[in-house]
Amino acid sequence: MPDGFHEEEILGKAYDGRLMRRLLGYLRPYKAVVFFALAAIFLFGLLQVVPPYLMMVEIDRYLDPAGRGRVPAFFLHFLSPHPLTGILQIALVFFIPTVVITFVLQFAQSYAMQLVGQKVMYDIRNQIFSHLQQLPMSYYDRNPVGRMVTRVTTDVDVLNDLFASGVVAIFGDFFTLVAITGIMLAINWKLALMTFSVLPLIVLVTMAFRRAVRESYRRIRIAIARINAYLQEHITGMTVLQLFNREAASYEEFEQINRAHLDAYKDSILAYGLFYPAVEFLGVLAIAIILYRGGVEALSGTLTIGAAVAFIQYSQRFFRPIQDLSDKYNILQSAMASSERIFKLLDTSAVVHDPAAPRTIEKLRGRVEFRSVGFGYQADHRVVEDISFTIEPGETVAVVGHTGAGKTTLTSLLLRFYEPQEGELLLDGVPIRELSRSDLRRNFGLVLQDPFIFSGTIASNIRMGTPGISDEQVREAARRVNLLPFIEALPHGFDEPVKERGATLSVGQRQLLSFARALAHDPSILILDEATSSVDTQTEILIREGLRTLMENRTSLVIAHRLSTIQNASKIIVMHKGRIREVGTHQELLARQGIYFKLYQLQYKDQELPVTEAASRAGNSMPELAS
Amino acid sequence: MPSSVLTRLRRLQPYLRRYKKRYVIGLTALVLTQVVGVTIPLVIRRALDRIQHSTTPLGRLVHFGPIVDGLLFLAGILLALQLGKSIFLFLTRWVLIGISRDVEYDLRNDLFRHLERLDARYYTENRTGDLMAKLTNDLAAVRNIVGPGIMYSANTVVLGVLAIAVMLYMDPRLTLLALLPLPLASLLVKFFGQKIHERFEKIQALYSELTEKVRESLAGVRVIRAFCQEEAERRSFDRMNGDMVGRNKGLIWISSFLWPGLALLFAASTLLIMVVGGWQVVRHDITVGTFVAFTMYLMYLIWPIIALGWVTNIIQRGLASLGRLWKIFEAEPDISDREVPEHPLNEIRGDIEFRNLTFSYNGSPILKDINLRIPAGTTVGLVGATGAGKSTLASLIARLYDAPAGAVLVDGVPIREIPLRTLRESIGFVPQDTFLFSETVRENIRFGKPSATERDVERAAETSHILPEIGGFPKGFDTMVGERGLTLSGGQKQRVAISRAVLRDPRILILDDALSHVDTYTEEAILRHLTRIMAGRTTLMISHRVSTIRHADWIIVLRHGEIAEQGTHEELLALNGYYADLYSRQLIEEALEKEA
């Protein structure tokens, strides 16, 4: 996915309340699970304080005779006076249940939140995908496919981090902090406050680190994007690079970009290298304070050894969440950038609306009418103008014209991919505007110049997802376009897997498959954009037969590239520069010696030669190997 | 370690050797970090013992003051030691992780340099996407061996040895007991790490499918809408999307288990110390200080033991990646200066000859028995249908692919005996697919001659008739081209590419359908300029249009890889064959174009 290598925005805001509220909205369906996870993490936070406390009790009650007087009354009564029994009691009654419950809570919380993360991703992905399915064709014209794919995939993944490890973890860290603060204050508030005096230093160091790392991360991300873009481009253009003897010069350029990346990383290594030792030092500073001040108090009998030990352990657990909090910053920042892009897509509204009360149609007879239709992709530039013609039910009309004459636009308008700026299109006398889009399109069969094959099987490509097309009908459609022998020769027959970009099918087979697809849907009106690619004689004959079957007794609008098709058409419409210039049958138009006559000489005359000749000449879409 | 692992690692040797000195410094710092670090719990132990001792009835007899002074002293020692440890720790990370980034930098440079040597065939066999993946993911995996892999392995060994030695010294029995659960932790990390990796890979595979599904639905939007398949697409996407959730559940389960599981194992160790150690304190086998020191050493050992499992996974993955990277290094270009004699041709006049040239990429021949001489200074036009072999013929002159030995000669010398550099330096090539780089217009034009002056660049732009348009670009010659800048039209791109080729002042100019997106009026102007500039030089023009080549000295019609017709414009018209037909089509096309 080359699109991924060009980061659209390097960094954005870390927090945006509006975006955040909207994001949190996605948690609503899983409220119960989220509350459960929150409750679990709340308990988890509280339980974090228990093990050091138990150690304190053990030391004071049994290990240091001087501390016995200050053991909380509950434990004093509960615990056996005999040391071994008492220690085992602490272990079995308190310690083991605590760590087991902690384990369960931590596991449950993590599982629950990651699951919610997955579900939220599922919801958002579905929402974006559905939304894309509804956006007007003009949106697709403006946005490259790669970018839209990124919205559904990469951008959503980033959000997962926020839900799976971000939101709840922040609460977890917070609960732990509160609980430890509380218990330290409860044991000895003076010593607690003194220990907390290290806190501002930690916050300062963390902030300084944050700033340094943010700057170097920004540079790293830019550098990585540049390295990837450079590589991508120069690998693609390696031949040009070599032709122009650019090896040395490009190597130097690459080295420079690579160097910028290295330098940025060295800066971040420096920041991390300083941060961890600094935090460790501050942690030991807290221990030194506890040992000295705690020692003094212990000597004067206001603090026990057990409490001093508990303090040491608490101080270590206390600083960790503060460091964690700073890690969450990155997650938050990326999530904001991604959600902004996602919401922008979701807020793009579909311009074409179906009528509030659409006219319902059953099976159409198939009369098509264009009435002074004018249309341009941009408001100020018409691609087609003043188009008027009719196709009677069952009639085949061929549209011919040079490249860019506006032929494909006509079919797009008929399928209502776009709305004409002027005039009207009618089906069986009903303006297509008054029909619902799905009702309208159900009556059409579309065969594209480059038949689009979806990943799936032969059968799934014929049936598409349309319910009500039986296996028998799929088979019948394949048979009628002469594809059956080929399909039956495949190892898995109709279930043979095919890919859009795979090589299972030849050009001709792809075309026949798309004929079968249209035929299976038995449309009232066929829209056909004939392929120009060359095929061998055998296939050409099959395709001609297939086309005949397809158009039989069916209103057909064909953008024709085959002489045989044109000759069989009841009417030929000649488009030139966006307008209809000539209308008539093949013979009439030839006699007129106008545009059609010239087009005929350019495009169709050769096809009067033997089929093999035509095949070898007409082929413009066979890629040359060297290119 | 199996020997294959060592041979694979040996590949990195030249890269590591470069930083030998820094490795010594980094590893020394690492040892010192842990040597100093391991004393810290001992100081705390001392302090706690001293406090405890003074709270005993016997201890109370000692004067209060000296004890407090002693505590202050110990606190000072503690801080001093930690300061030392922090400094060494900083050095360790800074040096050892730093080296891994240096090695990454070196490797990336070398890979790029190697890629620059590989020829067109390599790039048709290896997709850009795959190469990119190797240059990013695999390189990162190798870097992880060199940096964190080495650092954490060393750390685990050093700290493990030191901490366990001190613990054994304090109390062997308690040590063995307390450490009992810990090997499990390593195994847990290793096993789960592997499982997580495996499941992750599977999820990635499904993820690629999902991405492809999205891409397909978006690219095939017309068909989907025409067949009213929006709902069906939504359903099938929903199914895959749901599968993703399902498969992720398997991963979530394990990954949610890992950390709490590790915490549980360490709690087991703590529990053993609490019970057994506690009992030992009660029996006065050890002091409270020792008891506490044990719990602290346990904390110290947590990370190295986790790292043990983690590092083995890192190394495993890194080695696999190393193998893949080396596949790139081991690829050798087919096209090279192997056959260049000691005293090669170093200047080219521009005489080109094809002798009984038959060529195929793989299998069926693209060119058959071509015999043709293009004397230096002449202009030759080459026409023919798509697939006739025109571009192939041109690419053989520049040795993008190698023709059979002796089949292509320049100045009478087989081109394999001409240094590639000399050969390509004298060719100005405008390929069929215009490829410009995302740089400024100026950089693109002087791509093949970075030393060109401003005047040269302007003149080259003038030749291809793009100068006036460049003047209209937002930043003139400094306008960025491509995705991040101005999107040029097909014709503009072609003309920039022509400037790029012309600027090199080549003896041989090859235009491979280079004017196809340029209108006939501009084409005429460019051709006029080119005729002037290319006087006395060799020009090969490939085209679909007669207008481009009609004034050439000699015109060749290629058909199915063979020369079907040749001669001057007039001669070929008289022949009334393919060329004549092509010409009449052009006249019709022009007439059609004029229709209002």
Side-chain angles (χ1 to χ4, degrees):
Chain A
M1 192 173 44
D3 196 62
F5 289 120
H6 299 275
E7 283 188 46
E8 286 152 278
E9 291 134 63
I10 299 297
L11 276 184
K13 258 200 281 188
Y15 183 79
D16 182 324
R18 192 179 45 84
L19 289 175
M20 196 60 185
R21 268 193 296 282
R22 194 161 167 188
L23 272 178
L24 289 179
Y26 285 95
L27 288 177
R28 204 163 296 139
Y30 313 106
K31 242 187 317 198
V33 186
V34 173
F35 278 125
F36 166 75
L38 279 177
I41 205 143
F42 174 71
L43 272 176
F44 172 77
L46 289 184
L47 286 179
Q48 287 285 82
V49 307
V50 174
Y53 195 85
L54 292 177
M55 186 150 301
M56 177 184 82
V57 170
E58 183 190 348
I59 292 174
D60 289 346
R61 178 70 183 81
Y62 303 112
L63 309 193
D64 178 31
R68 191 168 310 157
R70 296 186 64 88
V71 174
F74 166 75
F75 287 102
L76 212 51
H77 290 300
F78 181 84
L79 295 175
S80 153
H82 185 267
L84 189 56
T85 322
I87 290 173
L88 283 173
Q89 274 179 319
I90 292 178
L92 295 173
V93 179
F94 298 103
F95 191 88
I96 292 179
T98 304
V99 295
V100 169
I101 293 173
T102 305
F103 167 80
V104 171
L105 288 174
Q106 205 181 354
F107 171 78
Q109 179 277 124
S110 165
Y111 186 81
M113 264 337 275
Q114 292 199 59
L115 193 64
V116 168
Q118 288 297 324
K119 296 228 159 130
V120 168
M121 283 210 294
Y122 167 86
D123 293 343
I124 298 182
R125 276 204 203 107
N126 267 0
Q127 192 189 1
I128 303 173
F129 188 83
S130 302
H131 192 73
L132 283 169
Q133 294 290 329
Q134 286 163 14
L135 283 175
M137 204 56 86
S138 55
Y139 185 85
Y140 284 79
D141 296 339
R142 283 196 311 270
N143 293 281
V145 168
R147 188 181 302 164
M148 293 189 273
V149 172
T150 309
R151 294 296 163 274
V152 189
T153 55
T154 323
D155 279 338
V156 178
D157 295 337
V158 174
L159 294 186
N160 180 42
D161 287 344
L162 182 69
F163 290 116
S165 60
V167 182
V168 169
I170 287 177
F171 284 108
D173 287 345
F174 179 72
F175 288 144
T176 307
L177 278 180
V178 170
I180 292 179
T181 312
I183 198 101
M184 282 170 87
L185 285 171
I187 294 174
N188 185 320
W189 66 270
K190 265 193 275 178
L191 190 57
L193 290 181
M194 244 178 275
T195 312
F196 296 157
S197 68
V198 180
L199 213 55
L201 291 175
I202 298 244
V203 172
L204 274 180
V205 167
T206 306
M207 272 164 60
F209 165 74
R210 189 71 267 160
R211 202 171 311 126
V213 153
R214 194 159 91 195
E215 177 51 27
S216 59
Y217 265 0
R218 199 182 59 82
R219 281 164 52 210
I220 288 169
R221 287 172 73 161
I222 293 172
I224 288 180
R226 282 181 62 199
I227 286 181
N228 286 334
Y230 194 90
L231 279 173
Q232 169 99 10
E233 185 167 295
H234 285 75
I235 289 175
T236 316
M238 192 56 84
T239 308
V240 175
L241 189 151
Q242 289 169 344
L243 279 172
F244 285 85
N245 295 100
R246 274 285 293 205
E247 288 92 339
S250 294
Y251 176 75
E252 257 166 55
E253 276 176 10
F254 183 70
E255 196 186 11
Q256 262 176 33
I257 300 175
N258 199 6
R259 166 73 62 182
H261 176 256
L262 178 67
D263 290 344
Y265 249 114
K266 286 268 169 101
D267 285 356
S268 90
I269 296 172
L270 183 68
Y272 274 104
L274 287 171
F275 179 61
Y276 287 122
V279 167
E280 219 181 87
F281 181 79
L282 291 173
V284 169
L285 178 62
I287 294 179
I289 291 174
I290 293 166
L291 280 180
Y292 173 64
R293 277 307 310 173
V296 172
E297 291 207 24
L299 291 180
S300 43
T302 46
L303 188 84
T304 63
I305 298 281
V309 171
F311 258 72
I312 291 175
Q313 295 194 347
Y314 282 133
S315 69
Q316 284 170 331
R317 289 175 192 230
F318 191 76
F319 296 138
R320 217 172 306 143
I322 296 177
Q323 295 168 41
D324 275 2
L325 279 176
S326 77
D327 285 343
K328 302 292 179 289
Y329 186 89
N330 277 340
I331 295 181
L332 209 58
Q333 197 173 36
S334 327
M336 286 300 130
S338 287
S339 59
E340 181 147 27
R341 291 198 285 264
I342 289 173
F343 291 147
K344 202 173 139 203
L345 169 67
L346 290 177
D347 292 341
T348 311
S349 57
V351 214
V352 243
H353 293 287
D354 272 333
R359 297 262 289 263
T360 48
I361 41 169
E362 289 306 315
K363 192 83 178 163
L364 280 176
R365 289 192 308 122
R367 185 178 189 278
V368 175
E369 185 179 356
F370 277 67
R371 225 180 250 170
S372 329
V373 171
F375 170 75
Y377 296 95
Q378 282 123 26
D380 54 346
H381 177 78
R382 293 277 175 277
V383 177
V384 292
E385 229 169 334
D386 195 23
I387 303 290
S388 299
F389 66 90
T390 53
I391 311 175
E392 295 304 328
E395 198 183 22
T396 296
V397 167
V399 180
V400 299
H402 215 38
T403 331
K407 293 167 295 188
T408 311
T409 306
L410 293 189
T411 63
S412 295
L413 289 172
L414 193 52
L415 285 164
R416 247 186 120 197
F417 288 154
Y418 305 94
E419 302 288 297
Q421 278 105 343
E422 291 141 21
E424 218 170 10
L425 289 94
L426 301 101
L427 276 189
D428 286 5
V430 178
I432 60 169
R433 257 182 244 273
E434 294 177 18
L435 304 171
S436 81
R437 233 173 260 101
S438 54
D439 239 8
L440 168 79
R441 289 177 188 159
R442 231 183 290 286
N443 285 284
F444 284 100
L446 177 69
V447 176
L448 286 178
Q449 201 172 34
D450 178 19
F452 199 93
I453 305 297
F454 294 89
S455 302
T457 62
I458 299 268
S460 75
N461 266 288
I462 294 176
R463 181 185 287 124
M464 302 286 282
T466 312
I469 297 183
S470 68
D471 287 350
E472 201 33 61
Q473 281 165 306
V474 168
R475 193 181 169 80
E476 178 62 11
R479 189 189 63 75
R480 288 180 60 197
V481 299
N482 293 312
L483 203 55
L484 197 55
F486 163 73
I487 296 173
E488 286 182 331
L490 292 170
H492 299 98
F494 277 92
D495 294 324
E496 183 76 11
V498 287
K499 273 193 187 135
E500 194 237 319
R501 290 187 278 200
T504 335
L505 302 173
S506 71
V507 179
Q509 285 156 353
R510 288 163 74 98
Q511 286 180 31
L512 291 177
L513 188 60
S514 74
F515 293 172
R517 180 190 287 164
L519 201 59
H521 287 77
D522 190 25
S524 318
I525 304 163
L526 179 74
I527 296 180
L528 177 75
D529 198 345
E530 275 190 334
T532 51
S533 42
S534 64
V535 288
D536 58 63
T537 322
Q538 197 71 40
T539 317
E540 176 63 27
I541 292 167
L542 292 179
I543 287 177
R544 282 188 195 176
E545 279 176 21
L547 283 172
R548 216 187 38 234
T549 315
L550 204 53
M551 293 189 280
E552 222 164 35
N553 304 321
R554 213 184 298 277
T555 311
S556 306
L557 178 64
V558 187
I559 298 172
H561 293 289
R562 277 191 177 71
L563 185 61
S564 57
T565 313
I566 302 178
Q567 284 170 332
N568 293 334
S570 48
K571 179 159 75 187
I572 299 168
I573 294 178
V574 182
M575 297 276 296
H576 192 67
K577 297 185 177 168
R579 289 170 179 275
I580 295 178
R581 296 289 301 274
E582 295 166 8
V583 179
T585 64
H586 178 62
Q587 294 308 329
E588 288 166 12
L589 289 174
L590 274 187
R592 197 188 290 189
Q593 302 245 328
I595 292 174
Y596 180 77
F597 180 72
K598 296 194 180 88
L599 281 171
Y600 168 74
Q601 283 177 306
L602 268 182
Q603 294 176 1
Y604 309 107
K605 194 181 70 172
D606 284 347
Q607 297 178 20
E608 289 181 348
L609 302 170
V611 170
T612 31
E613 283 284 307
S616 70
R617 280 203 192 176
N620 318 344
S621 63
M622 195 132 94
E624 227 169 307
L625 276 167
S627 60
Chain B
M1 240 182 261
S3 63
S4 67
V5 171
L6 281 177
T7 43
R8 263 189 281 176
L9 273 177
R10 196 159 298 142
R11 291 164 174 163
L12 281 175
Q13 224 175 20
Y15 291 92
L16 301 184
R17 200 177 294 143
R18 232 172 278 179
Y19 303 102
K20 207 159 81 182
K21 242 186 241 159
R22 280 164 62 196
Y23 263 121
V24 172
I25 296 175
L27 290 172
T28 310
L30 183 141
V31 172
L32 288 175
T33 307
Q34 302 310 351
V35 167
V36 177
V38 89
T39 60
I40 287 175
L42 290 177
V43 178
I44 295 171
R45 173 174 89 140
R46 182 70 171 273
L48 286 173
D49 283 348
R50 184 174 276 230
I51 298 170
Q52 198 221 351
H53 184 67
S54 53
T55 54
T56 56
L58 184 69
R60 287 207 189 282
L61 296 174
V62 187
H63 199 270
F64 190 78
I67 291 175
V68 172
D69 288 348
L71 279 179
L72 197 58
F73 176 70
L74 283 174
I77 296 261
L78 195 62
L79 286 178
L81 285 172
Q82 179 59 42
L83 187 65
K85 185 190 173 187
S86 285
I87 289 169
F88 291 131
L89 180 61
F90 162 70
L91 267 179
T92 309
R93 285 190 70 96
W94 168 238
V95 173
L96 291 181
I97 304 287
I99 292 175
S100 76
R101 291 290 169 183
D102 280 310
V103 170
E104 178 189 32
Y105 167 82
D106 294 342
L107 268 170
R108 192 182 273 129
N109 278 343
D110 289 356
L111 279 165
F112 185 71
R113 200 182 349 222
H114 187 74
L115 285 174
E116 285 187 328
R117 288 180 54 226
L118 294 174
D119 53 42
R121 193 180 291 271
Y122 183 83
Y123 291 101
T124 47
E125 282 161 11
N126 294 275
R127 291 186 314 163
T128 309
D130 294 339
L131 286 174
M132 287 297 297
K134 285 178 192 162
L135 284 162
T136 49
N137 304 341
D138 287 332
L139 193 55
V142 171
R143 183 197 66 224
N144 276 340
I145 302 188
V146 177
I150 289 179
M151 185 174 86
Y152 289 124
S153 307
N155 197 50
T156 301
V157 173
V158 174
L159 181 57
V161 168
L162 286 172
I164 292 172
V166 175
M167 287 166 88
L168 283 172
Y169 162 76
M170 291 193 301
D171 191 292
R173 214 162 23 136
L174 188 56
T175 307
L176 294 178
L177 264 176
L179 296 184
L180 210 58
L182 298 191
L184 270 177
S186 282
L187 288 177
L188 194 72
V189 172
K190 181 164 163 38
F191 177 74
F192 272 48
Q194 218 159 5
K195 276 264 175 287
I196 287 174
H197 186 68
E198 278 164 22
R199 296 198 181 179
F200 183 74
E201 296 273 279
K202 278 194 192 137
I203 289 170
Q204 279 311 98
L206 187 63
Y207 187 74
S208 308
E209 273 176 50
L210 185 87
T211 307
E212 179 56 21
K213 166 83 197 167
V214 175
R215 201 199 60 76
E216 228 173 58
S217 306
L218 299 176
V221 64
R222 279 169 183 273
V223 179
I224 288 167
R225 297 208 175 170
F227 283 88
C228 292
Q229 297 298 315
E230 291 98 326
E231 196 43 51
E233 280 299 294
R234 227 170 286 164
R235 271 200 310 273
S236 81
F237 177 77
D238 177 79
R239 211 174 312 121
M240 286 184 91
N241 198 3
D243 285 349
M244 274 290 281
V245 178
R247 206 168 282 186
N248 264 297
K249 274 188 193 167
L251 176 67
I252 293 171
W253 194 89
I254 300 189
S255 68
S256 299
F257 183 82
L258 183 59
W259 289 106
L262 283 172
L264 202 59
L265 278 176
F266 283 103
S269 276
T270 311
L271 183 71
L272 284 169
I273 294 176
M274 273 179 80
V275 174
V276 181
W279 179 236
Q280 283 178 297
V281 176
V282 172
R283 289 185 11 183
H284 298 293
D285 288 347
I286 57 171
T287 61
V288 173
T290 306
F291 173 78
V292 173
F294 257 96
T295 62
M296 297 192 87
Y297 282 118
L298 192 64
M299 290 276 275
Y300 271 28
L301 285 172
I302 291 181
W303 174 239
I305 281 170
I306 292 175
L308 202 63
W310 184 66
V311 160
T312 50
N313 288 340
I314 277 194
I315 290 179
Q316 259 173 20
R317 258 169 257 163
L319 284 175
S321 291
L322 196 61
R324 284 191 287 269
L325 283 188
W326 247 255
K327 275 239 163 62
I328 300 182
F329 277 130
E330 278 160 7
E332 277 300 319
D334 294 337
I335 292 164
S336 68
D337 282 344
R338 261 191 307 275
E339 292 168 38
V340 174
E342 208 168 318
H343 297 291
L345 197 67
N346 49 24
E347 207 165 334
I348 284 173
R349 281 183 302 117
D351 187 288
I352 303 166
E353 191 181 346
F354 300 100
R355 255 188 223 164
N356 306 324
L357 167 68
T358 297
F359 177 80
S360 74
Y361 291 102
N362 37 23
S364 57
I366 302 294
L367 293 169
K368 276 171 269 178
D369 201 27
I370 304 281
N371 279 293
L372 175 68
R373 183 156 169 251
I374 307 176
T378 54
T379 297
V380 168
L382 193 53
V383 291
T386 310
K390 306 185 298 288
S391 292
T392 303
L393 192 67
S395 66
L396 292 180
I397 301 174
R399 277 190 85 195
L400 291 178
Y401 296 90
D402 252 348
V408 184
L409 299 93
V410 167
D411 290 0
V413 178
I415 53 168
R416 292 190 187 191
E417 293 172 21
I418 302 171
L420 258 183
R421 195 175 173 79
T422 311
L423 178 74
R424 287 181 181 162
E425 233 161 33
S426 40
I427 296 175
F429 204 118
V430 186
Q432 193 175 27
D433 307 313
T434 323
F435 191 91
L436 299 183
F437 291 85
S438 311
E439 287 173 40
T440 60
V441 176
R442 178 183 297 105
E443 288 306 317
N444 267 297
I445 292 180
R446 63 173 186 204
F447 187 72
K449 196 178 169 192
S451 60
T453 64
E454 199 66 2
R455 183 77 202 100
D456 294 338
V457 173
E458 270 174 39
R459 213 170 312 157
E462 212 178 327
T463 308
S464 70
H465 216 265
I466 188 142
L467 189 60
E469 273 158 86
I470 293 175
F473 290 168
K475 288 185 189 159
F477 278 100
D478 291 318
T479 310
M480 288 287 283
V481 170
E483 239 173 272
R484 296 238 165 136
L486 192 68
T487 311
L488 301 185
S489 73
Q492 287 171 330
K493 278 195 211 158
Q494 287 188 327
R495 283 177 290 152
V496 171
I498 293 173
S499 302
R500 175 171 73 185
V502 168
L503 182 78
R504 307 187 89 194
D505 191 19
R507 297 301 311 175
I508 302 169
L509 180 69
I510 300 174
L511 300 169
D512 187 356
D513 214 6
L515 293 162
S516 56
H517 293 291
V518 175
D519 64 69
T520 38
Y521 163 75
T522 316
E523 178 182 65
E524 231 167 88
I526 295 173
L527 288 175
R528 243 193 341 265
H529 285 298
L530 282 180
T531 322
R532 192 162 38 77
I533 284 183
M534 291 309 289
R537 288 150 207 260
T538 315
T539 310
L540 178 65
M541 278 195 229
I542 298 173
S543 181
H544 281 105
R545 282 205 297 241
V546 170
S547 59
T548 319
I549 49 135
R550 61 179 293 179
H551 298 296
D553 298 322
W554 197 250
I555 296 163
I556 311 287
V557 177
L558 270 189
R559 192 140 173 223
H560 305 313
E562 287 168 296
I563 297 179
E565 300 167 18
Q566 55 181 320
T568 61
H569 177 69
E570 284 73 22
E571 287 166 4
L572 289 177
L573 283 188
L575 212 58
N576 215 358
Y578 179 88
Y579 186 84
D581 186 48
L582 197 66
Y583 184 60
S584 65
R585 276 157 184 278
Q586 185 181 323
L587 294 181
I588 299 167
E589 199 141 348
E590 276 166 21
L592 202 57
E593 206 49 50
K594 283 187 194 113
E595 287 279 346

